[in-house]
Amino acid sequence: MLNTRSNRCRAIAILFLTLALSSSSAPAQDSSAPGQQVDARVDTLLSRMSLQEKIGQLTQVGALDLTPEQRKDLGDLLPEDPVSIEDHVRRGEAGSILWTTNPVFISKLQHVAMEETRMKIPLLFGYDVIHGFRTIFPVPLALAASWDPDLAENAQAVAAQEASAVGINWTFGPMVDIARDARWGRIVEGAGEDPFLGAAMARAQVRGFQGQQLGTPGRVVGSVKHFAGYGVAEGGRDYDGAYIPEEHLRNIYLPPFKAAIDAGVGTVMSAYLDLNDVPASGNRFLLRDVLRRDLGFKGFVVSDAMAVRDLQTHGFARDPQDAALRGLTAGVNMDMASLTYLRNLESLVQSGKLSMTQIDDAVRPILEVKIRMGLFEHPYSDSAAAESILTDPEHRKLARVAAQRTMVLLRNENSLLPLKKTVASVAVIGPLADSEKEIQGSWGVEKAAQAVSVLEGVRAKLPHVRVESVRGADLQRKYPSLVDKVFGVKPTVPLAADQLKSELDRAVEAARRSDTVVLVLGELANMSGEAASRVSLDLPGNQQQLLEAVVATGKPVVLVLLNGRPLNISWAAGHVPAILEAWYPGTEGGNAIADILFGDANPEGKLPVSWPRTTGQVPTYYAHNLTHQPEDDKNFTSRYLDVPTSPLYPFGYGLSYTPFAFSKLQLSQTTLAPGGSLQVSIDVENTGRSSGSEVVQLYIHQRAGSASRPVRTSTCVIRMNLLFS
Ligand code: BGC
């Protein structure tokens, strides 16, 4: 529970600290319809459904629009399927469709389901609406850097409105995997390393996607993913398995899932990973004991894409039939896109390996979610309203504010920032300087709004100033991206050595001619996200060379980073006076960056992940246990001999244009029994000359106990707006 009292320049933060996590009082599954009525409707439906129709509800059919060439390129990633999607629906073989955003197609399929099938059960249309649909918001890792759950909630509410305007009624988010290894590409999709911040962001995003309850108009049902432990992938390699002790599972990886479930999330997605030698999508312990029994989840579980089929690929299931049996009995209700349930469940029932009761138990929560969403009564989106929702200027305004509030100022020597608008000339340099595509980050939707690049943002801010731009370096993924292949995005052609050299020379000349340089470096959007792990955190391509060459000109340089993970910027941290971590800030990214650079907005983000000095330091996270030797031992270093143990920038770090002073920390009592609470208060003062908001972070640690506990654990966060008077 948080409370603030603020006057114009001084505020007292009062934080209530409750020891031992008590479960939230929110109902696990809220509903406008009384539970009994929902149960009765489900019973009636089930009593009338054939086995085939029930299996249809357990099946989600992929609707990727692929050319024959793309299909060939993807090999056996997707199942061969001679039946059209429309026919699957007409035959009652689909409870849900995924991967289409075409409103005409969605409406057509829903009409087929509602008018041409015997049971007239509406379809769920699922899509990865991860950080925006038409309007792209900052990536989830960036949203977490705002440390502001309300902001995340509002952003996801807009995303839900836009997606539902075209008929999508289910998003595969929030992604809440705690990640402590920056090599893992999917660190960008979650809230970073900390269970407390992760839980706050999980809860907020569920509220944003779903509204107060399932069935809130203009919202969608969420799917918290990837259950569970996916972020622990060994070596940061995507899809790799993990060995997670139960203590870690329960204390670190599950709290964000619990928060999402307590907030009423309607569905959970089971992960790809092999957890302690049992694939998560065939893992009874996870899906029954933990998810249903311990976390009290009442909605339905969808597998990750192809994960039921891939129980065989893992060397776990014997054949597709065994995969279907293991997936269903473990607790996966809906098979995403692999058609393994559709092709095998019937024979499993006929042979007596599965009972009709087991099938009914799997179908029940799917029907329940559809009923609670009001889909039977309102299966269609309002196409007349769609365009005005998708182009609502308020959405872009929120996207700009969100982007401003997620950026983290990492360095600002001699207050180089904010830059003066009276500057005579600016060079905006870097391979990402004028990219409207990369600034959106991964999981951007094809029909996303036109985004503003950094160059465009700076030009709009300084209409009368000479602003020139040079790429200066080249960026390429070495191996093609799986996700690009699926969406038919062609790889770009790398620059040849002589072209690279001339780009670098042009960049240096542009820097020399200008008063100030804004250097925009980082990663392409497809360098983080799914199947985008990296073995090195160094700036990819020849960007380090560009950075050093531009800094050598002696001009004032501001480094703006566009990226989805901590990068090795140790050299920059010692040589570049100002560094702004902008993540992938989305549609309004360029404008928001210019707002921060030229002082129209204050940088207020704080890192949601520890920032390592070098790749070899990962996994790096603040909540580690103490060792037998204090890490700040002045006499010798024992943990590494070649770099300090501490990160380059710690979790929770972020500068601001205005300084804050913290004083008078007080506790209402000095002892706290399990389950008890105490009040912590502190004076926070804005001692600078401009307005700003500050995040007050409270950490606790245990001095002694029956088990070792981390050196610090975050327990309470409060964001305060402090005006300067
Ligand atoms: C990803 C999920 C995603 C799903 C559907 C999978 O490859 O792991 O996060 O929701 O595809 O697109």
Side-chain angles (χ1 to χ4, degrees), residues 98-99 127-128 130 172 175 186 189 225-226 230 239 269 272 304-305 336 443 482 530:
L98 85 159
W99 295 325
Y127 201 77
D128 292 279
I130 304 301
F172 304 127
M175 189 281 215
R186 303 197 80 167
E189 295 176 55
K225 68 187 186 185
H226 305 82
Y230 182 33
Y239 309 141
M269 187 185 292
Y272 284 134
D304 201 338
M336 183 186 282
W443 284 129
L482 165 90
E530 183 169 358

Side-chain angles (χ1 to χ4, degrees), residues 416-427:
L416 174 62
L417 290 176
L419 299 170
K420 297 209 171 32
K421 289 182 192 158
T422 50
V423 62
S425 55
V426 181

Side-chain angles (χ1 to χ4, degrees), residues 488-510:
V489 180
K490 296 265 175 278
T492 50
V493 183
L495 293 187
D498 57 332
Q499 291 170 309
L500 277 179
K501 163 93 177 57
S502 100
E503 269 300 307
L504 192 71
D505 293 346
R506 286 191 333 112
V508 170
E509 283 157 27

Side-chain angles (χ1 to χ4, degrees), residues 166-415:
V166 303
I168 290 165
N169 46 27
W170 183 12
T171 180
F172 304 127
M175 189 281 215
V176 303
D177 296 310
I178 297 295
R180 295 177 163 189
D181 186 336
R183 293 171 298 181
W184 191 52
R186 303 197 80 167
I187 192 171
V188 66
E189 295 176 55
E193 74 182 51
D194 184 49
F196 181 82
L197 182 60
M201 287 294 149
R203 204 177 292 124
Q205 292 187 81
V206 170
R207 281 197 302 259
F209 286 135
Q210 298 191 167
Q212 281 302 310
Q213 58 185 35
L214 287 188
T216 303
R219 303 298 176 97
V220 299
V221 59
S223 191
V224 65
K225 68 187 186 185
H226 305 82
F227 200 74
Y230 182 33
V232 193
E234 273 184 352
R237 293 178 294 269
D238 207 2
Y239 309 141
D240 255 19
Y243 292 94
I244 310 181
E246 203 169 331
E247 276 116 313
H248 284 193
L249 194 65
R250 295 197 186 266
N251 289 334
I252 301 167
Y253 300 101
L254 292 180
F257 286 98
K258 174 168 171 26
I261 290 164
D262 289 346
V265 74
T267 77
V268 168
M269 187 185 292
S270 62
Y272 284 134
L273 93 152
D274 200 290
L275 174 68
N276 301 335
D277 293 336
V278 181
S281 296
N283 195 315
R284 241 169 202 285
F285 162 74
L286 259 189
L287 300 178
R288 297 220 181 257
D289 300 357
V290 175
L291 183 65
R292 298 280 179 194
R293 187 193 65 201
D294 301 343
L295 301 183
F297 178 62
K298 301 277 190 303
F300 74 85
V301 176
V302 63
S303 72
D304 201 338
M306 315 300 157
V308 172
R309 177 197 66 183
D310 292 343
L311 293 176
Q312 185 186 356
T313 320
H314 274 273
F316 179 70
R318 196 174 308 112
D319 52 31
Q321 197 181 61
D322 193 31
L325 180 66
R326 294 205 193 202
L328 192 107
T329 51
V332 171
N333 301 77
M334 190 181 276
D335 165 18
M336 183 186 282
S338 85
L339 306 180
T340 309
Y341 279 2
L342 186 66
R343 291 173 180 166
N344 295 284
L345 288 182
E346 190 175 346
S347 58
L348 283 164
V349 175
Q350 280 160 355
S351 65
K353 289 197 175 127
L354 276 178
S355 69
M356 192 60 109
T357 310
Q358 283 172 299
I359 297 286
D360 285 356
D361 287 347
V363 178
R364 184 173 287 280
I366 297 174
L367 295 176
E368 253 177 51
V369 165
K370 291 183 176 185
I371 292 170
R372 288 177 195 273
M373 288 174 72
L375 277 186
F376 283 83
E377 293 75 24
H378 305 287
Y380 308 109
S381 65
D382 176 4
S383 57
E387 207 42 38
S388 67
I389 295 172
L390 292 171
T391 55
D392 187 340
E394 291 302 316
H395 296 182
R396 285 192 83 123
K397 276 193 205 156
L398 181 64
R400 186 163 176 166
V401 172
Q404 291 165 355
R405 304 211 29 205
T406 53
M407 291 179 202
V408 184
L409 183 61
L410 296 175
R411 194 161 198 254
N412 196 16
E413 291 303 285
N414 302 318
S415 299

